[in-house]
Amino acid sequence: MAGKPDEPALSTKPATLSELRRLAAHPATTALFALLLVLLLGFIFSGDGAFYKWTTHRDALRQASVFGILACGMTLVIITAGIDLSVGSVLALVAVCFSLFSIHWRLTPWLAIPACLAIGTACGAVSGGIIAKLRIQPFIMTLAMMVFARGLAKTVSGGMKVSTAVANDDGTYRYVDVPQIFRMIDSRLLGDNISVVSLIFLVCVAVSWILLARLRWGRYLYAIGGNEEAARLSGVPVSAMKVLAYGAAGLFSAVAGLCQAAQEQQGDPEAGTAYELTAIAIVVIGGTNLMGGRGGIGLTLLGTLTIGYLEKILSINAVPEAGRLMLTGIIIVAAVLLQRRRA
Amino acid sequence: MAGKPDEPALSTKPATLSELRRLAAHPATTALFALLLVLLLGFIFSGDGAFYKWTTHRDALRQASVFGILACGMTLVIITAGIDLSVGSVLALVAVCFSLFSIHWRLTPWLAIPACLAIGTACGAVSGGIIAKLRIQPFIMTLAMMVFARGLAKTVSGGMKVSTAVANDDGTYRYVDVPQIFRMIDSRLLGDNISVVSLIFLVCVAVSWILLARLRWGRYLYAIGGNEEAARLSGVPVSAMKVLAYGAAGLFSAVAGLCQAAQEQQGDPEAGTAYELTAIAIVVIGGTNLMGGRGGIGLTLLGTLTIGYLEKILSINAVPEAGRLMLTGIIIVAAVLLQRRRA
Amino acid sequence: GKSEEPTGTPPTTQSAEPAASEAEPTTTGPWTIGMSQCNLGEPWREQMNTDIEQAALKHDELEVIFKDASNDTLKQRAHVEEFVAAGVDLIIISPKEAQPLTEPVAKAIEAGIPVIVLDRRVIGDRYTCFIGADNVLIGREAGKWIVDQLGGAGNVVELKGLMTSTPGQDRHRGFREAIEGTAIDIIFEADMKWLEPDARKEMESALARSGEIDLVYAHNDPGAHGAYLAAKAAGREDDIMFVGIDALPHEGVMYVKQGIMDATFQYPTGGAEAIDIALTILRGEEVPKEITLGSRVFTQDNVDAGGEPIGGES
Amino acid sequence: MNEIHQSESRHAPTDAAGAALLAMTGIGKSFGRHRVLDDVDFDLRAGEVHVLAGENGAGKSTLIRILGGVHQPDGGSIRIAGRLVRPRSPREAAGFGVAIIHQELSLAPAMAVTDNIFLGRERTSGGWVRFGEQRAAAGRLLKRLGLEVDPGRLVGELPIAAQQMIEIAKALAFDARIIVMDEPTSALSEPEVERLFARIADLTTRGCGIIYITHKLEEVYRQADRITVLRDGRKIITAPAAELPAPALIRHMVGRELVEHPVRREPVAGEVRFRVEHCTVRAASRGRPPVVDDVSFEVKRGEILGIGGLQGSGASDLLWGLFGAHGRRATGRVKLDGRPVALRSPRRAIRRGVALLTNDRKQSGLVLSMDVAANATLASMPRISPGTWLSRRRELELTAASTKTLHLRAASLRQPVATLSGGNQQKVVLAKWLNTRPRVMLLDEPTRGVDVGAKREIYQLMDEWARAGHAIVLITSELPELLLMSDRIMVMHRGRLTAMFDHDEATPERVLHAAMGGS
Ligand SMILES: Nc1ncnc2c1ncn2[C@@H]1O[C@H](COP(=O)(O)OP(=O)(O)OP(=O)(O)O)[C@@H](O)[C@H]1O
Ligand SMILES: Nc1ncnc2c1ncn2[C@@H]1O[C@H](COP(=O)(O)OP(=O)(O)OP(=O)(O)O)[C@@H](O)[C@H]1O
Ligand SMILES: [Mg+2]
Ligand SMILES: [Mg+2]
């Protein structure tokens, strides 16, 4: 686009005018269209009115939360023109560790949670470091991490779910209580009106928003994604920022892992398979460009709702698997088409 | 090198010199390193000498072939700076159709095969067309196609494997013969020394090589991947070329689908799940850059062997799943590191 | 599978509380049943749904809503919640996991909706009725059969299902218990993740490694079939026996009929039984808390006769 | 034309001068086995403008990239204000008070003007960016540079000229002692250049030292206190500007006597080859006035029509529109040799014999991942691939022929264009269009970033093409070039045609006046 001439800016009071135009054609506006389109579907096919019940929406949000949390980290990475395929496996690894710590070792959350977050962040930071220092393409590095973390999760869990059924030495099983922290994370607040995981998701959104829109680091991430060479020439600490981005993605994956374990009340080494695709889809449907340098977390929030509601609406209408898949494909394209002017 | 003013532009000596230098630092050279590294592993951990048997290598090649065929199409797409996530699902769709045509409808291969190839190509061409004309990002468009094609495969197959056990109206089953064409594709030639599917793979490699290295279109694909704007302004038919690239990817997926069905003797709508990741890994391990504009099919051939042998070696040593995953992750990184100068 | 049932929970012998009494008193229907399947990807579960469908067709006062969690526990949990919200008369669930679905099911019970748990258990006793077969038992039976086929000695390849899944673990455990102390040794074992192509790959490796293979024990029939194809390609299919599990009419049983496999052990879906039990519950009659389905073995000799029952009563 | 400028040399160095700001000694640098810099000494005094001159590929940018911490030297030492330093990264270099305006624009297109200006040096309090303050500061800065652009606008939306001004603003945003300008005016037009010079003047009076790289001789003699000439990576001479008249300077740069540009060929007034009627180009985003507004003109065989205008004139948009590159945004009628042609896409335009050389080779000219030959033949593939089969022999022959006429300097025709120097990259683009055998050539800043020698060569080529009967449309922001090369000069302002001069009646004053909107 640069170097390609465009219409004169020298018009009178360009600021206010362009402000208006930007608002009108703002990605958020189009992302909103996509969401509304899906909601419309919900109103038409309401699954015997289920769609009009608040609980349906509450649960839709809860189901979308884990993906949304992953998508927050994914957004940071994608803005640097990178990608992180390992989020799903890291989620599983953390879910397993969290269950191990809390259920089997009976650790206090004050130890278990920080430890888990550290594990997730470490995975991300390692990817980021190698990508930045050894110049491996993000796609392939995180693909490797995806495979590795999955293997690690299986090793840690001994290839079985880490559940409240604990094996005795004689091969029989004894049942232990679900840890308090699990129940807490899986509970609801504000008079049963919103799930804790949904709140956690919103917190993640807020944190990423501050990072992207308010802190210097945010500028750096955008600059790296927009023109890495330019960023370097401008004195941006590129490597450090990449470690930050992927580390953050790892951290968010860990948070998602905690939520997953709490909701499943167990650590499943197979959990989160193919979640990375959903997370990426969310980010892109929001309107963030995979080429990097553009987009934002607000868009990802909208994307999360779009995908989340799509899932829910198909589910309450008991659409059979085959049909559901085809519809999903079509609707994704339709939704993105509403924003093709952006792409 | 910034030669003397009088020095003619096309001076033979420095040309040949740089030819040599390029050969030394040529991607293929480094891709070869990666392969040798893996082979070395094989010689060390030979699984009770299984690695020294020719049949092991023959089978390794056979197993890698389906992925290799997918990788050929993936290479074309990636060179245009795109990506195709739908190859796995298209493979499944075609496998199902092929089984349906050949086993249930008893169609002659002369009809069944062209029909299947057409189906695959259509899927690809549709993605390509939408990507080119409606400006949807390849990742998200092919993601949608991936979901859609999977759903279609399940619809066509009625959600069950299309096998030689055909349902009677009374719910019981009757057995029909495995079609001749299935047995042919799954057989071996040259005195049992090479599988037909491997030959098919090599043919695909040859075809893609001609397209990329010997035809005008190949040059166009590289140009689009390198700088789409410049390509457009140089009169490159960008849209047509994108349809070509994704159409070809669809075609190759279809070929892979035929091989898959023949080897499984059935059409499994779940087949090919996550194959796209392997295909991409193969292309990247070969040394083709996901940013587009660089790389080639020779590299993909090497990448296929690398991944194929890695799988085989882990398998003949009966490495348990968890360990396999972790090793795969590590070795992928190690292999790519050998080429980081290229990335 | 049993392994997920904590020994701590009392195997409730007395019959379930008459769930139907909470439901509307009608004893004639029409009734809506919500069926949540954990993953239609697997042929066996496809079969389960088919069985339920077939059975339900015979009773036009029944309407069954099928949902597929496509292998996602949290999705399946949402299914239960949605069924409760929609106020169905009865829920049939074939859980992906015991643990995560225990509480959603309990909530449904509290909401006065009877729940039939199929195949995999939930923890505790807050459900109306469990119908399922015993994977450990089937694995053990397979083991016994193999032992006396091989006369207590031989080289066996074990192609395991996804070992992070309970059926995989149980079919492995039962089998190993059975061959305990015999001269049968497992010369090669690998996880083929229930997938036929993977089974074929692993079998090729096994063949490449060792000249002496007497029998292949695969945790499902597609696995056994994949192994067969590999052996066939190596021209060794005649000196190897192939044993699988599941015995779906169009899979394992067919393979045995064709002489591809030597034996397959049925893992019943319980779909038909589920509908019968459902009707009983809905009519307000009492049902047993536990129904363990018997299994059948199909071999060359008995396949046309429809196999022979093994293990538990049915 | 150079002599006129020598007279009006810049004000004498201030008293602040003399204090050595920078001393680079024995700098050497190789890329692979290619020695780009060989034992180069260079120094800079406070308050002076030190011009670094040399042909394309001489090593100028490399030298200052080393100063800026982008490349690490193989040998030599750098002293800043007497202190021995070794900048390992641009960040470090900035720490030493070095600001660089890079030759290849280093901006993030998707970020706002403000964000780009302060990138890497955000005004923050505890990590939190103070956006309001930055925006205000950016506004002031841009105003002083006379760039009327909303600081909130995305840089990618601006034309290359506006971008270059922003690049400059970026360097001036923080107070550095040593300011390096690598061809800062390559895409600027007269008034902007003047404003830049004004800034330079008060920077030097404040005691900053300026390293100035340019290929425009008139700028050299207006700015330079001292001149250093590089050739093939070696320092040839350092001398006060007064002691190095243009002919000598050129001789040092080129290393040989340069054939003077011949007196203008007399225009062979052929029949009309290219006629444009009522061309209008809509703005990309609606709600804005058209960027080209009802422009009509014609070009005869063998004629060079120059288009003058300040940035924002819409001249480039006009050419893009005629070339079909703006698709449906462009309307109007075009006749080629009397036959009407619908130029809907570049592909068709090329087939009809129209060529467009854009003003940004990196963005829209070259495919940097491909080699010289591939780039040079990209627009004429049918010629080297009969029946779609690619003939490498023909490819090399065609490239060799075209690059030879352009005196391209490359190690081989298979060298990646990314590693060519700016000027040589430009020649590759020219070669690409030569190979399409065009009837009409639309040239947008054809000599941008091209050295004296190459510039002369390009002028001669344009004359040759004109003699051969081509019709040429030339956009250039360099007034002297415009006046020298054009048979007729058409002036645009905000998309409108404001004046049309014959070669003889055109004077700098009249052209500028029209360019500012007067008619
Ligand atoms: N001062 C400015 N501020 C913002 N935008 C500008 C400014 N000057 C020019 N532009 C942009 O330039 C576009 C037209 O520039 P164009 O390149 O067509 O004119 P030009 O005279 O050819 O410029 P150049 O000489 O750089 O090629 C306008 O659409 C406008 O977006
Ligand atoms: N990264 C690189 N790798 C290899 N060669 C390079 C690289 N950068 C520059 N060169 C070579 O170094 C030489 C000097 O390049 P440089 O950009 O310094 O020339 P320059 O004097 O700035 O030319 P111009 O006036 O056109 O900008 C050129 O021959 C160029 O091909
Ligand atoms: Mg330079
Ligand atoms: Mg212009």
Side-chain angles (χ1 to χ4, degrees):
Chain A
M1 180 74 210
K4 174 176 173 186
D6 198 357
E7 68 281 2
L10 307 128
S11 45
T12 48
K13 49 182 163 42
T16 50
L17 257 178
S18 59
E19 287 303 339
L20 286 176
R21 235 179 308 100
R22 211 172 298 114
L23 192 68
H26 192 285
T29 327
T30 50
L32 209 51
F33 283 144
L35 176 55
L36 293 179
L37 171 98
V38 170
L39 287 177
L40 188 68
L41 282 179
F43 281 107
I44 302 169
F45 308 100
S46 65
D48 307 348
F51 192 75
Y52 304 126
K53 299 206 188 90
W54 163 243
T55 55
T56 306
H57 298 262
R58 180 194 64 197
D59 296 343
L61 186 57
R62 194 204 71 222
Q63 282 173 263
S65 295
V66 166
F67 294 106
I69 296 171
L70 294 179
C72 287
M74 192 64 76
T75 310
L76 300 181
V77 172
I78 287 180
I79 280 177
T80 68
I83 196 153
D84 188 348
L85 299 179
S86 67
V87 290
S89 310
V90 173
L91 174 147
L93 175 59
V94 170
V96 165
C97 293
F98 190 40
S99 310
L100 203 66
F101 298 162
S102 312
I103 302 178
H104 289 197
W105 304 0
R106 290 320 218 180
L107 284 190
T108 144
W110 303 115
L111 282 177
I113 292 182
C116 289
L117 297 183
I119 292 172
T121 315
C123 292
V126 167
S127 303
I130 296 182
I131 288 167
K133 284 296 171 199
L134 303 184
R135 298 278 172 77
I136 294 190
Q137 299 183 39
F139 192 102
I140 199 70
M141 176 61 225
T142 55
L143 180 64
M145 177 59 79
M146 160 180 165
V147 182
F148 180 85
R150 179 72 59 192
L152 196 57
K154 290 190 178 196
T155 316
V156 173
S157 68
M160 300 176 59
K161 275 115 196 161
V162 182
S163 69
T164 54
V166 185
N168 303 321
D169 313 339
D170 60 1
T172 63
Y173 288 83
R174 120 184 76 86
Y175 176 79
V176 300
D177 280 339
V178 176
Q180 211 45 43
I181 182 68
F182 278 41
R183 299 200 177 284
M184 260 175 56
I185 296 177
D186 192 19
S187 64
R188 298 206 202 83
L189 296 179
L190 312 177
D192 233 28
N193 280 323
I194 182 148
S195 322
V196 172
V197 288
S198 307
L199 289 177
I200 296 179
F201 165 50
L202 295 177
V203 171
C204 293
V205 170
V207 171
S208 334
W209 180 79
I210 291 176
L211 174 61
L212 278 177
R214 283 284 162 265
L215 297 188
R216 142 188 303 161
W217 293 340
R219 304 294 95 190
Y220 291 169
L221 295 182
Y222 280 103
I224 291 171
N227 181 347
E228 184 166 338
E229 182 60 18
R232 190 173 286 107
L233 291 177
S234 310
V236 171
V238 175
S239 303
M241 283 303 116
K242 286 189 174 176
V243 174
L244 172 76
Y246 288 88
L251 175 63
F252 285 124
S253 311
V255 174
L258 300 180
C259 298
Q260 184 84 6
Q263 292 182 87
E264 286 195 11
Q265 300 189 344
Q266 69 176 9
D268 178 359
E270 300 288 344
T273 310
Y275 278 21
E276 64 278 353
L277 288 182
T278 313
I280 296 170
I282 286 175
V283 175
V284 178
I285 284 228
T288 297
N289 191 314
L290 283 168
M291 290 301 142
R294 306 166 190 271
I297 204 72
L299 300 176
T300 299
L301 175 56
L302 291 172
T304 310
L305 295 175
T306 312
I307 293 283
Y309 270 113
L310 181 55
E311 278 261 332
K312 193 66 178 176
I313 291 162
L314 291 171
S315 169
I316 57 178
N317 288 289
V319 179
E321 179 68 356
R324 174 187 314 184
L325 290 171
M326 288 196 283
L327 277 173
T328 312
I330 293 167
I331 293 175
I332 287 182
V333 173
V336 176
L337 270 184
L338 286 172
Q339 336 180 338
R340 82 168 158 298
R341 265 161 282 103
R342 314 234 61 71
Chain B
M1 144 172 171
K4 306 287 151 292
D6 45 328
E7 176 183 286
L10 180 54
S11 65
T12 48
K13 205 172 115 295
T16 47
L17 260 174
S18 62
E19 289 300 340
L20 286 175
R21 239 181 305 105
R22 204 170 306 111
L23 192 68
H26 192 283
T29 326
T30 52
L32 209 51
F33 284 145
L35 175 55
L36 293 178
L37 171 97
V38 171
L39 287 178
L40 188 67
L41 282 178
F43 281 107
I44 301 170
F45 307 100
S46 65
D48 303 353
F51 192 75
Y52 304 127
K53 298 198 190 112
W54 163 243
T55 56
T56 307
H57 297 263
R58 180 194 62 198
D59 296 343
L61 186 57
R62 185 192 62 76
Q63 290 165 18
S65 295
V66 165
F67 294 107
I69 296 171
L70 294 179
C72 287
M74 192 65 76
T75 309
L76 301 180
V77 171
I78 286 180
I79 281 177
T80 67
I83 197 155
D84 187 348
L85 299 178
S86 66
V87 290
S89 309
V90 173
L91 175 148
L93 175 59
V94 170
V96 166
C97 295
F98 190 39
S99 309
L100 204 65
F101 297 161
S102 312
I103 303 177
H104 288 195
W105 304 0
R106 302 320 257 168
L107 283 190
T108 143
W110 302 114
L111 284 176
I113 292 183
C116 290
L117 297 183
I119 292 171
T121 315
C123 293
V126 167
S127 302
I130 296 182
I131 289 168
K133 284 296 171 201
L134 304 183
R135 297 278 172 74
I136 293 189
Q137 299 183 36
F139 192 102
I140 199 69
M141 177 59 224
T142 55
L143 180 64
M145 178 58 77
M146 160 181 165
V147 183
F148 181 84
R150 179 72 60 190
L152 196 56
K154 290 191 175 194
T155 317
V156 174
S157 68
M160 303 178 61
K161 293 179 182 172
V162 180
S163 70
T164 53
V166 185
N168 303 320
D169 312 339
D170 60 1
T172 62
Y173 289 88
R174 105 188 91 85
Y175 165 75
V176 299
D177 276 336
V178 177
Q180 212 44 42
I181 182 70
F182 277 42
R183 299 201 181 283
M184 259 176 55
I185 295 177
D186 194 18
S187 64
R188 296 202 210 86
L189 297 178
L190 311 178
D192 234 29
N193 280 323
I194 182 149
S195 321
V196 173
V197 288
S198 306
L199 289 177
I200 296 179
F201 165 49
L202 295 178
V203 171
C204 293
V205 170
V207 171
S208 334
W209 180 79
I210 291 175
L211 173 59
L212 279 177
R214 284 282 167 265
L215 294 190
R216 179 189 304 169
W217 297 333
R219 194 52 73 71
Y220 286 161
L221 296 182
Y222 281 102
I224 292 171
N227 182 345
E228 185 166 338
E229 175 81 332
R232 190 176 66 96
L233 292 173
S234 303
V236 173
V238 175
S239 303
M241 285 301 116
K242 284 188 175 175
V243 174
L244 172 74
Y246 288 88
L251 174 63
F252 285 125
S253 311
V255 174
L258 300 179
C259 298
Q260 184 85 4
Q263 293 183 82
E264 284 192 46
Q265 301 190 346
Q266 66 184 6
D268 179 357
E270 297 290 332
T273 311
Y275 278 22
E276 64 279 356
L277 288 182
T278 313
I280 296 169
I282 285 175
V283 174
V284 178
I285 283 226
T288 296
N289 191 313
L290 283 168
M291 289 301 142
R294 294 195 163 85
I297 203 71
L299 301 176
T300 299
L301 175 56
L302 292 173
T304 311
L305 295 176
T306 311
I307 293 282
Y309 270 113
L310 180 55
E311 276 240 336
K312 192 66 183 176
I313 291 162
L314 291 170
S315 166
I316 57 175
N317 289 288
V319 179
E321 184 65 8
R324 259 183 219 205
L325 291 169
M326 288 197 281
L327 278 173
T328 310
I330 293 168
I331 292 175
I332 287 182
V333 174
V336 175
L337 269 183
L338 285 173
Q339 339 180 336
R340 82 170 158 299
R341 266 161 282 101
R342 315 234 60 72
Chain C
K2 273 227 168 23
S3 75
E4 287 214 356
E5 183 192 18
T7 52
T9 47
T12 12
T13 45
Q14 86 287 17
S15 60
E17 69 285 357
S21 57
E22 285 101 316
E24 62 271 21
T26 165
T27 57
T28 62
W31 292 299
T32 322
I33 296 180
M35 161 65 190
S36 170
Q37 181 57 273
C38 71
N39 177 23
L40 271 184
E42 305 159 29
W44 183 82
R45 302 194 167 276
E46 184 66 44
Q47 184 66 37
M48 182 194 286
N49 279 26
T50 321
D51 293 349
I52 292 177
E53 214 168 353
Q54 299 294 345
L57 281 179
K58 302 195 186 79
H59 310 275
D60 36 19
E61 70 270 31
L62 286 186
E63 189 212 355
V64 186
I65 305 170
F66 289 94
K67 292 195 182 189
D68 170 15
S70 45
N71 224 1
D72 183 328
T73 329
L74 297 182
K75 246 192 217 162
Q76 190 160 31
R77 165 179 169 174
H79 286 169
V80 180
E81 291 164 352
E82 287 159 19
F83 282 142
V84 173
V88 298
D89 301 297
L90 181 140
I91 296 175
I92 304 178
I93 180 172
S94 179
K96 172 167 161 41
E97 311 287 349
Q99 185 79 55
L101 290 156
T102 298
E103 295 198 352
V105 166
K107 289 222 174 66
I109 294 288
E110 283 157 23
I113 300 175
V115 180
I116 299 176
V117 179
L118 262 183
D119 172 38
R120 295 191 195 168
R121 292 173 178 278
V122 293
I123 291 165
D125 61 353
R126 272 133 79 233
Y127 56 88
T128 312
C129 173
F130 168 79
I131 305 174
D134 182 344
N135 272 310
V136 184
L137 179 112
I138 291 172
R140 200 180 295 120
E141 290 300 325
K144 289 201 200 116
W145 188 87
I146 288 169
V147 170
D148 63 50
Q149 285 296 312
L150 296 181
N155 297 336
V156 171
V157 171
E158 181 181 11
L159 296 176
K160 301 181 283 188
L162 196 59
M163 281 311 278
T164 47
S165 70
T166 0
Q169 291 154 7
D170 294 351
R171 292 174 187 187
H172 175 70
R173 211 165 92 239
F175 173 67
R176 292 306 174 99
E177 284 171 13
I179 64 168
E180 192 75 56
T182 66
I184 288 177
D185 52 2
I186 307 299
I187 55 167
F188 187 91
E189 58 179 304
D191 193 333
M192 47 86 175
K193 313 188 204 69
W194 307 120
L195 298 175
E196 174 152 351
D198 293 48
R200 183 172 177 176
K201 286 182 193 170
E202 299 305 340
M203 186 58 184
E204 273 174 348
S205 300
L207 291 163
R209 280 181 67 110
S210 53
E212 235 346 282
I213 300 178
D214 301 315
L215 183 144
V216 175
Y217 167 60
H219 286 190
N220 67 350
D221 294 329
H225 185 241
Y228 169 82
L229 290 177
K232 195 164 188 304
R236 290 167 59 178
E237 76 271 27
D238 294 336
D239 18 356
I240 303 178
M241 300 176 75
F242 299 89
V243 178
I245 294 181
D246 278 350
L248 295 187
H250 60 290
E251 261 183 13
V253 176
M254 264 301 163
Y255 295 147
V256 173
K257 278 211 183 91
Q258 295 164 241
I260 290 176
M261 286 171 54
D262 300 85
T264 176
F265 291 76
Q266 181 193 38
Y267 185 68
T269 68
E273 293 80 352
I275 289 299
D276 299 343
I277 295 294
L279 280 167
T280 333
I281 295 174
L282 289 168
R283 297 212 184 86
E285 300 156 24
E286 300 200 339
V287 295
K289 187 78 177 178
E290 303 257 331
I291 297 177
T292 307
L293 299 165
S295 170
R296 310 177 73 78
V297 56
F298 297 82
T299 63
Q300 300 295 348
D301 323 331
N302 68 22
V303 61
D304 301 314
E308 299 159 2
I310 54 163
E313 79 302 330
S314 184
Chain D
M1 59 186 222
N2 319 317
E3 283 63 20
I4 40 173
H5 292 289
Q6 277 178 46
S7 52
E8 36 164 306
S9 178
R10 245 183 81 266
H11 59 83
T14 54
D15 343 331
L21 271 181
L22 166 74
M24 302 175 77
T25 45
I27 301 295
K29 176 70 181 173
S30 308
F31 291 107
R33 46 172 280 291
H34 173 207
R35 193 127 187 86
V36 173
L37 288 177
D38 189 0
D39 185 28
V40 172
D41 299 341
F42 183 85
D43 74 308
L44 180 68
R45 305 195 192 112
E48 83 166 336
V49 175
H50 192 155
V51 165
L52 191 54
E55 290 187 289
N56 294 124
K60 305 182 295 296
S61 299
T62 308
L63 182 65
I64 61 111
R65 284 217 192 88
I66 286 172
L67 172 62
V70 180
H71 296 320
Q72 300 306 311
D74 306 339
S77 67
I78 305 175
R79 289 179 178 281
I80 290 178
R83 212 165 108 254
L84 193 65
V85 298
R86 205 170 220 305
R88 271 182 194 69
S89 72
R91 205 179 182 76
E92 277 185 39
F96 299 135
V98 178
I100 298 184
I101 300 168
H102 286 280
Q103 175 178 13
E104 308 300 349
L105 300 181
S106 59
L107 301 167
M111 292 176 82
V113 173
T114 313
D115 293 333
N116 267 285
I117 290 178
F118 288 99
L119 183 58
R121 295 180 295 273
E122 288 75 8
R123 305 254 177 105
T124 58
S125 43
W128 294 67
V129 181
R130 301 210 293 277
F131 286 101
E133 180 182 330
Q134 283 193 6
R135 202 184 163 93
R140 284 195 300 278
L141 204 56
L142 294 175
K143 186 171 252 77
R144 259 189 286 150
L145 287 167
L147 184 67
E148 317 160 35
V149 49
D150 162 19
R153 204 166 152 194
L154 299 189
V155 162
E157 298 172 358
L158 302 181
I160 183 149
Q163 291 184 15
Q164 190 153 36
M165 291 303 275
I166 288 161
E167 185 81 26
I168 293 169
K170 195 172 156 184
L172 303 185
F174 78 117
D175 39 29
R177 290 299 309 284
I178 302 170
I179 300 169
V180 186
M181 304 186 174
D182 194 349
E183 302 189 34
T185 62
S186 58
L188 296 186
S189 43
E190 222 66 19
E192 296 139 340
V193 175
E194 291 305 328
R195 289 194 290 265
L196 172 64
F197 287 177
R199 310 286 317 125
I200 291 178
D202 57 54
L203 282 169
T204 45
T205 43
R206 280 205 267 109
C208 300
I210 309 243
I211 303 174
Y212 195 95
I213 301 177
T214 182
H215 290 296
K216 302 178 182 176
L217 285 177
E218 57 277 14
E219 286 182 3
V220 172
Y221 287 105
R222 279 195 54 189
Q223 289 299 317
D225 298 304
R226 291 191 299 158
I227 304 176
T228 291
V229 179
L230 291 185
R231 192 200 316 146
D232 297 338
R234 272 182 221 79
K235 189 186 94 167
I236 303 302
I237 185 178
T238 301
E243 302 168 17
L244 202 63
L249 174 59
I250 294 175
R251 199 171 46 251
H252 285 306
M253 284 197 288
V254 185
R256 67 181 193 282
E257 281 303 337
L258 199 64
V259 280
E260 246 314 322
H261 185 68
V263 285
R264 276 179 35 75
R265 87 209 124 70
E266 273 318 308
V268 281
E271 71 281 12
V272 173
R273 161 146 269 183
F274 191 57
R275 165 171 285 130
V276 177
E277 289 161 358
H278 310 296
C279 176
T280 298
V281 177
R282 266 190 293 104
S285 44
R286 60 200 72 62
R288 281 169 160 249
V291 285
V292 176
D293 192 354
D294 187 31
V295 172
S296 304
F297 65 91
E298 62 182 37
V299 194
K300 304 193 185 61
R301 287 168 154 278
E303 185 182 43
I304 298 180
L305 172 70
I307 303 185
L310 312 183
Q311 61 154 294
S313 66
S316 293
D317 287 302
L318 173 61
L319 297 200
W320 280 63
L322 296 176
F323 190 60
H326 272 331
R328 311 226 164 287
R329 279 174 59 197
T331 56
R333 258 180 287 105
V334 177
K335 284 213 185 79
L336 194 53
D337 289 329
R339 271 191 288 95
V341 289
L343 301 181
R344 272 270 154 266
S345 75
R347 188 172 178 71
R348 272 202 224 160
I350 293 170
R351 282 223 204 82
R352 296 277 185 293
V354 182
L356 168 64
L357 180 137
T358 61
N359 64 10
D360 184 340
R361 55 175 169 268
K362 277 243 159 79
Q363 196 63 34
S364 50
L366 293 166
V367 180
L368 289 171
S369 56
M370 304 202 306
D371 58 30
V372 172
N375 272 284
T377 54
L378 183 57
S380 46
M381 288 303 286
R383 288 184 65 187
I384 65 165
S385 56
T388 80
W389 278 87
L390 190 73
S391 154
R392 306 198 153 235
R393 190 178 47 76
R394 291 193 193 204
E395 180 187 16
L396 288 179
E397 284 169 3
L398 189 60
T399 314
S402 50
T403 50
K404 209 179 232 133
T405 51
L406 292 163
H407 302 293
L408 176 85
R409 294 183 198 127
S412 88
L413 299 184
R414 290 293 176 204
Q415 178 181 2
V417 287
T419 59
L420 289 179
S421 72
N424 283 311
Q425 288 182 343
Q426 187 71 359
K427 290 182 181 177
V428 173
V429 185
L430 280 165
K432 176 172 78 179
W433 292 118
L434 260 190
N435 289 335
T436 63
R437 289 186 290 203
R439 288 188 282 177
V440 179
M441 291 206 176
L442 312 176
L443 307 176
D444 194 346
E445 310 284 359
T447 61
R448 179 175 165 222
V450 168
D451 66 39
V452 232
K455 198 175 273 184
R456 299 275 171 96
E457 288 161 5
I458 291 175
Y459 291 163
Q460 276 159 14
L461 285 163
M462 288 169 67
D463 283 350
E464 282 168 30
W465 297 333
R467 285 214 190 78
H470 297 300
I472 297 176
V473 180
L474 166 70
I475 295 177
T476 173
S477 46
E478 270 181 89
L479 212 37
E481 184 172 293
L482 185 71
L483 295 170
L484 174 73
M485 296 306 299
S486 318
D487 301 321
R488 282 185 302 135
I489 296 176
M490 156 177 146
V491 186
M492 292 181 62
H493 172 73
R494 303 274 169 80
R496 279 208 193 66
L497 196 165
T498 49
M500 184 73 85
F501 303 101
D502 278 340
H503 175 78
D504 317 325
E505 62 194 49
T507 67
E509 297 69 26
R510 298 174 72 177
V511 171
L512 264 180
H513 177 70
M516 309 262 198
S519 50

